[in-house]
Amino acid sequence: LVYFNLRKVLFHIRNTKTLCLKFSVQHLLLMAVHILIIVSPFIIFQVYGYYKFCVETKNSSLSTFCNSSVPMPYSYVQRKYWDVGFLRYYQLKQIPNFLLAS
């Protein structure tokens, strides 16, 4: 959705040779709404997990992700239980796999 709106704005700018402010602002706002619709389930899930495990917890043992600057329960579960995460695959023990692939 964002791609098509951006393409429409760029096509309009290329063909008219002038920037119609109303047209571009309207399409940029529409793109912002589309981005918000796409990202909102992720944000809602993260907020739900934060409230479920950090705010509503009655006992004193909070999860470690509650103390981080941006608490993200899904990233915590990936790191702790699945041992996956951003760039975590690249370790010295994976060098034979890289050599085999190249």
Side-chain angles (χ1 to χ4, degrees):
L1 295 173
V2 174
Y3 169 76
F4 292 118
N5 285 326
L6 187 60
R7 196 172 97 184
K8 190 183 294 186
V9 169
L10 292 176
F11 180 76
H12 178 73
I13 291 171
R14 188 180 328 141
N15 288 343
T16 60
K17 302 296 182 197
T18 60
L19 179 62
C20 178
L21 186 62
K22 180 182 175 187
F23 181 78
S24 63
V25 169
Q26 180 183 9
H27 282 284
L28 290 176
L29 286 175
L30 185 62
M31 283 182 1
V33 168
H34 287 162
I35 290 171
L36 187 63
I37 289 170
I38 291 169
V39 174
S40 64
F42 175 76
I43 293 171
I44 290 169
F45 178 75
Q46 298 302 321
V47 170
Y48 171 75
Y50 176 75
Y51 279 107
K52 183 76 174 172
F53 296 106
C54 298
V55 176
E56 292 180 356
T57 304
K58 304 281 191 277
N59 56 9
S60 61
S61 62
L62 292 175
S63 295
T64 57
F65 74 88
C66 295
N67 298 328
S68 62
S69 60
V70 180
M72 297 182 65
Y74 191 72
S75 298
Y76 171 74
V77 169
Q78 282 183 326
R79 184 175 51 254
K80 180 167 178 151
Y81 299 108
W82 300 340
D83 197 29
V84 295
F86 183 67
L87 297 178
R88 289 187 62 120
Y89 180 75
Y90 300 101
Q91 300 172 357
L92 290 177
K93 67 180 181 181
Q94 297 295 342
I95 289 177
N97 292 333
F98 296 131
L99 293 175
L100 185 65
S102 62

